[in-house]
Amino acid sequence: MSAAGTVLSVRHLCKSYRAGQPVLTDINLEVMIRSITAVIGPSGTGKSTLIRCINRLVEPTSGSIMFEGTDLIRLRRRELREARRRVGMVFQEYNLVERLTVMENLLSGRLGYVSAWKAWRRSFPREDIERAFELLNIVGLEGFADARADSLSGGQRQRVGIARAVMQQPSLLLADEPTSSLDPKTSVEIMQLLTDIARDRGIPVIINMHDVGLARRFADRIIGMAGGCVVFDAVPGLLADDALKKIYGGEDWMH
Amino acid sequence: MVTSTAHRLAVLRPNRWARLGALLLLAYVVYATAQMDVSWERVAAGLHNAAHFLTRLLPPTFSRWELLSNGLLESLEIAVLASTLGIVLSLPLGFIAARNLMPGWASWPARLVIVSARSFHPVIVAIVFVKAVGFGALAGILALTVASIGFIGKLFAEAIEEISLKQVEAVRATGASFMGIVAIAVLPQVFARFIGFCTYQLDSNLRNSTMVGIVGAGGIGGTLFAAFQRFDYDYVCAILISIIALIMIGEMVATYVRAIFIDGMTFAEMFHRRLSALGTRPERRFDDE
């Protein structure tokens, strides 16, 4: 039922943490290959929940999520883990394993393919290690392989976070407010890096964000959410004041 | 909302229940002291006895050094074996007891085992094991193993419960298996603290292993107790000095183990740091860190 070039198709997705109090109501969206989709909306409107429902870090209540020919909602344990390998994720607070080195964090992106015992002994396949070093150069952290994650700055950590997600060789990247903990200049650099890497590899990205300016600048599609529903879905050029009013409510903040 | 001045002042007033509690505690201390029947005569007599005892302690005699060294070696053996066994057993037990990773039906029984291992003093557990397996080091090893499980198991479980779940979430998102998550996202977060618990427990077992002998569970404690009863105070002194030496060596080993595992130092670095620290005052050491 999905058109060619569709990577992800979310249908009638609903989520409520408590019965009768839906956080997401009837979300429908399709994500095409090579697209950069920004999801904007006020805090607490379910952006994070939406993104976590897609790789099922949060269990959806109902609906379907078609990804690479399977409905993610129906998958169990092993199948779910295998599907998760194909979805990379970048986090607001980077979520690196602080006490491990940069290289170990990058290689943790391969954990879906390497047994726990081998991972414990740090015996990763040679091609993984070589790709990790290449990626480290691409994200601008050459020479940091041995640095411990907790010794890095916020921007550097997010670079590691992006590299870890790309190490999975994913067909979809999810980013949950990747720049919300960063200063404005670093935010732009991180967004540039994330979108460049995704475009180079043809990986579609869904990015939750708070910064409407950054969303306009880097995304080729903007989804506006309010009260757990999609209230806007179009190219950035169409995101006018009335749309923003619908998403965030009020208008004093715009001026 | 309007708040009256009285209301505002009340914010700064000390808690009357805390005051009442402190008063009750003070009253109990006075009462308990009265119960002890402490008098100046008793203190004076006690000081006199202590002086007499101290003069008989000196000089220490190491004439029966073979008995002494055998006892010490047995204590060391008890401490090392009990620590090793305790660590090996409490690792999985503490892990299962962590409520943030394990379902309730798994964690509750594990917590129960840990709590019961903690509820008795090692000497009481040693008496039980002496009855069960007879006099000797085996009873001491088993008793201190139980103590180690109680201590390391509890602290290890608590350390796991305090880990950052964000790091776990990120590794889970890569499609890692449960054991993969444990190996890469959980253990690195608790490893340093675990080493700390283990070295502390070895230290504690070393001290306790010199004591379980009093109830016949092996080690230097038996020799010490016998010497006390025979009024061989100069030999008691020799035993005490040896125990202090053993504990100090144990503490040094623990410091080195922590430096290697937690700070990731090599022997050469540690040796270098020792050397450079020799000529400097302790507070200077913070400068170069």
Side-chain angles (χ1 to χ4, degrees), chain A residues 52 81 93 95-96 98-99, chain B residues 166-167 169-171 176 180 188:
Chain A
R52 281 175 167 73
R81 287 207 303 270
E93 288 171 42
N95 297 17
L96 305 179
E98 300 277 320
R99 285 184 170 270
Chain B
K166 295 186 170 203
Q167 299 173 32
E169 182 188 42
V171 173

Side-chain angles (χ1 to χ4, degrees), chain A residues 52 55-57 81 84-85 87 89 91 93 95-100 108-109 111-112 116 119-120 122 164 168, chain B residues 165-167 169-185 187-192 262:
Chain A
R52 281 175 167 73
N55 61 358
R56 286 196 34 204
L57 290 176
R81 287 207 303 270
R84 272 185 186 148
R85 304 190 300 202
V87 182
M89 188 155 178
F91 299 83
E93 288 171 42
N95 297 17
L96 305 179
V97 183
E98 300 277 320
R99 285 184 170 270
L100 296 185
S108 73
L111 274 179
W120 174 247
R122 305 292 188 268
R164 172 176 65 187
Q168 288 175 239
Chain B
L165 288 177
K166 295 186 170 203
Q167 299 173 32
E169 182 188 42
V171 173
R172 199 154 74 98
T174 65
S177 64
F178 180 74
M179 288 317 289
I181 295 171
V182 169
I184 295 298
L187 290 181
Q189 290 193 58
V190 294
F191 182 71
I262 301 178

